[in-house]
Amino acid sequence: MKVLNREELRVAEGVLLQHLPKSYRVYAILYGINRNKPTTLEVVVDSWPDFKVIICRPDPKLAVEFMKTVTCFSTDEQTLRKVLTEENAIDWSTYLVIGGLDNSHTPLFKEVSSDREVNSRHDTLVRVLYLPEVSCLQSPATDSELESRISSLKPSHVSLVNQTWKFGGNQQGYIRHLISNFPSCCIMDEHGQPVSWILVYDYGALGMLYTLPEHRGKGYAKVLISTMAKKLLAESHPVYCFIEEDNSLSYKLFKNLGFIEDPSYRAVWLELNF
């Protein structure tokens, strides 16, 4: 295994661009690293420059503040098998989440984790929806009054986002990290308080989309997604999201805005617990 340096990371980003949408999560992580976004990850490949497996994993030299997460992309399962079984690409001795894994690799990960007596749990199956260019976007109509209330989240809004996120509750540090370092977009009420918002995760995906119940039915989610997508695409930032398989409302929302998918592709979150 080879740990990529700064110059090699830029080259790898260009290679992964050719493998979208399956490479979106790793590609977006490299996009952020190459633009100096904070990270505690290191990136390794099976060989260089012609790699078949690329893995983003916790950097052992750095303290991990949040959940330990591993992300990988592979064009060859035999090479991936070798990397997982012979080259210690993953620290199997600690709790890990394998995030956004190509579901076709799930049996391999379960097999290898079982051989190492590591428990694996098939957590969440998701679709990957993406917007390749702004011409695909079906933007909703907005008036000047609504546009004047579109803003960005601030650290003072961490508690509100944490309370309403389905995986929140004790995630203030992570949410503060996202709001402070990555794009966000919100709609304010007449008192300057957010009533609807969307964030970008540290792996580049849109997420945490939420509208307070008393403000629903006004089309705020469509406006936020559209506004954020335009902003990101103007910076050549990848625009994509993961939507859980059974979340038909969110799926319809993004599809109606022009997001597309590979119908045959699914990603999965796996939890590994030694």
Side-chain angles (χ1 to χ4, degrees):
M1 300 294 292
K2 172 181 172 55
V3 179
L4 298 186
N5 61 33
R6 280 287 184 175
E7 182 178 344
E8 291 163 343
L9 285 168
R10 288 191 288 269
V11 175
E13 179 189 330
V15 174
L16 292 169
L17 185 60
Q18 309 306 313
H19 293 280
L20 301 178
K22 294 183 178 182
S23 64
Y24 254 116
R25 183 169 162 122
V26 178
Y27 168 71
I29 290 173
L30 267 60
Y31 177 96
I33 293 174
N34 289 333
R35 287 152 186 83
N36 300 313
K37 293 296 185 182
T39 185
T40 56
L41 299 174
E42 68 175 4
V43 182
V44 297
V45 292
D46 64 298
S47 61
W48 186 261
D50 299 317
F51 61 89
K52 296 179 180 178
V53 175
I54 182 167
I55 296 175
C56 305
R57 66 188 185 186
D59 188 334
K61 301 184 296 296
L62 299 174
V64 178
E65 296 182 57
F66 313 114
M67 184 180 296
K68 288 186 176 180
T69 304
V70 171
T71 303
C72 84
F73 171 72
S74 174
T75 58
D76 183 83
E77 182 142 315
Q78 286 304 111
T79 304
L80 179 59
R81 175 182 292 275
K82 180 180 179 182
V83 164
L84 294 177
T85 57
E86 299 177 16
E87 303 198 33
N88 295 318
I90 293 176
D91 180 5
W92 299 91
S93 66
T94 183
Y95 174 83
L96 282 175
V97 172
I98 312 296
L101 176 70
D102 184 333
N103 192 43
S104 68
H105 299 318
T106 298
L108 172 59
F109 270 80
K110 288 191 170 185
E111 176 191 333
V112 176
S113 62
S114 177
D115 289 345
R116 292 175 177 261
E117 299 183 341
V118 174
N119 297 319
S120 64
R121 187 163 72 90
H122 185 289
D123 194 19
T124 307
L125 192 67
V126 298
R127 303 172 185 264
V128 180
L129 274 72
Y130 58 98
L131 195 72
E133 54 189 38
V134 73
S135 62
C136 299
L137 185 63
Q138 304 296 315
S139 298
T142 57
D143 57 35
S144 58
E145 190 276 332
L146 179 55
E147 288 180 354
S148 71
R149 294 193 284 119
I150 297 175
S151 185
S152 299
L153 291 169
K154 299 178 176 61
S156 60
H157 302 139
V158 166
S159 179
L160 178 62
V161 176
N162 180 61
Q163 292 168 9
T164 54
W165 186 32
K166 68 177 291 187
F167 299 111
N170 62 346
Q171 298 294 326
Q172 291 95 333
Y174 179 60
I175 294 170
R176 182 173 289 105
H177 166 68
L178 296 183
I179 290 175
S180 300
N181 296 291
F182 297 89
S184 66
C185 189
C186 66
I187 293 175
M188 301 289 196
D189 64 12
E190 63 273 18
H191 305 295
Q193 293 300 309
V195 297
S196 186
W197 55 83
I198 190 169
L199 284 76
V200 174
Y201 289 111
D202 48 2
Y203 50 87
L206 302 178
M208 298 193 199
L209 177 64
Y210 189 84
T211 301
L212 295 176
E214 61 270 29
H215 291 274
R216 292 175 185 171
K218 301 177 182 178
Y220 287 171
K222 294 178 183 178
V223 172
L224 288 176
I225 295 168
S226 176
T227 301
M228 181 67 86
K230 290 176 183 177
K231 176 181 178 180
L232 296 178
L233 288 171
E235 301 170 356
S236 299
H237 189 295
V239 177
Y240 78 109
C241 63
F242 293 108
I243 296 179
E244 293 182 21
E245 183 81 16
D246 60 355
N247 190 343
S248 57
L249 287 177
S250 290
Y251 176 74
K252 183 178 179 181
L253 170 64
F254 279 88
K255 288 287 286 185
N256 286 344
L257 285 168
F259 281 66
I260 60 178
E261 67 170 328
D262 176 351
S264 67
Y265 180 71
R266 294 291 184 275
V268 68
W269 261 248
L270 286 178
E271 290 186 41
L272 303 179
N273 193 1
F274 185 70

